[in-house]
Amino acid sequence: AVTQSSVVLGYSDGSVGRAQFGQTSVCANPVAHAGGSAALSVVSLAYGALLVSISSADCALVVTHAHYGVVLARRQLTFQPTTLRSFAPDFAHASLAPRLAKLEALALVAVESCASERVGSSQRRSVERAQTSAVSVLGALHCVVVGGSQGELELFRVAAISFSRAEIRRMLRIRDRSRGRDIRINDIAYEPRLRVLAAGGADGAVRRWVLGSAPARLLGELRCAADDMDAQPPETRIGTLARVMEAQAMLAEVLDPALALNSEEMDMLVECFESAQLEAQAAVAHVDNALRQTRSLLRAKYGFHLATLTEKSTSTSAHHCENEEDDTKLQLRCAALEAFAYEMRFASVQHTATLSETVDRLSTRLRKTIVTVLATAVTRESEPRPALLETLAAFQSGLVRT
């Protein structure tokens, strides 16, 4: 694989390496894969600081430090890998320093929000938070897709937890093993605008998948703001949500005296709404707590990089990159804070989506009860009133759309 500043190499003995353009020296070539391999593939992540490789000999996905040649993480795969692809865009090294400054300012909000509240400090922190600019982060910068000998396709996220340790997580299984014929994956491509992932197989066929909004988000761009870094996000007030207010309006509509529902039917509707609202409130509280726990786990996960944010100067500052070692640390730090910001924003997006699903269930449950009650009222009358029939038709149409 070739980038703007280097070329990364995979050798048949299972080793990997990186050669910088304009330099005569070649970085150390560690044996990342046991047993040698004639089918070894390697890509670079973390702005070139990490080498990610696969081998068909040991069926492993390995992350190697590009400068030291040390294996930082290894994950055994459940299939024989044949293809490795990264969809991270190329970068300009000169843009890393200002980007790191923005990411550090954003991550500092997470560090300060964990500290105990001091008298008179909340207003100052709110002003500083308002002045912290949002940063766009790309999920593809930290992801690789691995194709297998039986048509398997899996998406992994690679994160530099520290300068000496990385994490490999499987985020998505796109395709399971196919039996009966050879459809070895030879190449993989992704079109982010259309959210289309395509894979070319040994049988000559090109298969494609249109990713849904949630899977595509793993490779897409998110905009992380200071609110996404808050250690204690505000509790969700269910009564202020638009769908809940819509449900309240629906209940008021069917309780209109013009529909002439009897007391038993009205009591049934009110009881259903109150029961659904209590269940939704409990579910929302659980979702809010899950968001707080996720943010706490992410702060612990990236604690090595967050611990130095309050210091005035660190060895990885852009002003101290006097050699390749410091340069690699700058790349790793920038990539780690970007992954931290992405995962924090991703947690917020998932939280919002789960809230929406919870409230939608409340609305749908109330709609179904309303349709049942109105249908019963229609059958009870020999000549149903036009207002009752129109209201029933409107709610039936809305239920079908939902």
Side-chain angles (χ1 to χ4, degrees):
V2 180
T3 66
Q4 287 185 353
S5 59
S6 64
V7 55
V8 293
L9 306 168
Y11 300 93
S12 59
D13 63 349
S15 63
V16 296
R18 180 186 70 171
Q20 297 278 30
F21 293 148
Q23 297 182 7
T24 57
S25 61
V26 178
C27 294
N29 296 337
V31 178
H33 298 275
S37 174
L40 185 144
S41 180
V42 58
V43 298
S44 65
L45 286 182
Y47 301 105
L50 297 179
L51 305 181
V52 183
S53 57
I54 58 168
S55 168
S56 58
D58 59 1
C59 298
L61 179 65
V62 178
V63 180
T64 308
H65 196 290
H67 178 73
Y68 292 120
V70 178
V71 174
L72 303 182
R74 178 187 298 271
R75 183 186 177 100
Q76 202 65 31
L77 301 175
T78 58
F79 56 92
Q80 186 180 48
T82 58
T83 308
L84 175 68
R85 288 291 180 271
S86 166
F87 306 114
D90 214 344
F91 64 95
H93 185 270
S95 63
L96 279 188
R99 181 160 185 80
L100 177 59
K102 293 181 180 179
L103 290 168
E104 287 180 336
L106 192 61
L108 190 59
V109 176
V111 176
E112 291 184 343
S113 66
C114 293
S116 58
E117 292 292 332
R118 298 186 298 273
V119 177
S121 63
S122 58
Q123 184 176 1
R124 179 181 57 83
R125 288 180 180 177
S126 63
V127 172
E128 291 178 352
R129 183 175 301 182
Q131 294 174 347
T132 303
S133 59
V135 179
S136 295
V137 286
L138 186 64
L141 285 173
H142 321 285
C143 293
V144 294
V145 179
V146 182
S149 59
Q150 295 296 320
E152 304 94 336
L153 270 179
E154 293 185 355
L155 174 69
F156 295 89
R157 176 178 291 161
V158 177
I161 305 303
S162 68
F163 295 142
S164 60
R165 187 166 66 93
E167 179 193 65
I168 304 174
R169 290 181 60 196
R170 187 180 70 186
M171 304 302 298
L172 181 64
R173 177 175 288 172
I174 302 169
R175 192 178 195 276
D176 286 324
R177 178 175 301 177
S178 177
R179 302 182 183 275
R181 56 177 180 163
D182 179 21
I183 54 170
R184 180 182 69 256
I185 300 297
N186 289 333
D187 202 1
I188 306 169
Y190 179 65
E191 167 51 50
R193 187 175 60 86
L194 300 177
R195 302 188 305 190
V196 173
L197 183 73
D203 59 350
V206 176
R207 296 170 176 82
R208 66 171 187 154
W209 295 264
V210 179
L211 302 183
S213 58
R217 204 176 292 131
L218 295 170
L219 295 171
E221 186 178 43
L222 298 178
R223 190 162 181 82
C224 183
D227 289 342
D228 299 310
M229 296 291 177
D230 198 345
Q232 294 295 329
E235 294 184 358
T236 303
R237 299 178 60 184
I238 190 171
T240 63
L241 300 178
R243 294 285 284 174
V244 175
M245 290 189 286
E246 178 185 342
Q248 292 171 341
M250 288 190 298
L251 180 63
E253 181 180 353
V254 295
L255 294 179
D256 191 322
L259 298 182
L261 298 179
N262 58 40
S263 59
E264 182 180 350
E265 292 166 339
M266 289 191 291
D267 289 343
M268 180 180 178
L269 289 173
V270 173
E271 182 181 351
C272 173
F273 176 78
E274 290 178 347
S275 174
Q277 190 173 23
L278 288 175
E279 291 181 12
Q281 183 64 61
V284 165
H286 177 74
V287 172
D288 286 347
N289 186 54
L291 176 63
R292 287 189 288 270
Q293 290 181 353
T294 299
R295 291 185 178 181
S296 177
L297 290 173
L298 289 175
R299 288 193 304 272
K301 174 181 172 180
Y302 293 96
F304 174 84
H305 297 283
L306 297 179
T308 59
L309 288 176
T310 54
E311 300 177 7
K312 293 183 178 180
S313 61
T314 66
S315 59
T316 57
S317 173
H319 301 291
H320 292 83
C321 293
E322 299 174 353
N323 52 51
E324 187 180 347
E325 178 182 355
D326 289 339
D327 194 40
T328 304
K329 287 184 177 181
L330 171 66
Q331 294 168 343
L332 282 175
R333 183 171 178 78
C334 189
L337 291 181
E338 184 149 7
F340 172 67
Y342 179 87
E343 292 193 49
M344 291 288 275
R345 176 56 186 165
F346 188 85
S348 299
V349 173
Q350 293 291 89
H351 172 261
T352 303
T354 307
L355 283 181
S356 178
E357 292 174 3
T358 301
V359 176
D360 283 348
R361 286 195 296 269
L362 181 153
S363 177
T364 302
R365 178 176 169 179
L366 181 60
R367 281 182 183 275
K368 288 181 178 180
T369 304
I370 289 174
V371 168
T372 302
V373 170
L374 292 180
T376 303
V378 167
T379 57
R380 190 182 66 241
E381 299 182 1
S382 57
E383 295 183 3
R385 295 178 303 282
L388 185 62
L389 293 174
E390 291 175 3
T391 304
L392 175 60
F395 275 100
Q396 286 177 330
S397 176
L399 187 60
V400 169
R401 289 195 304 269
T402 302

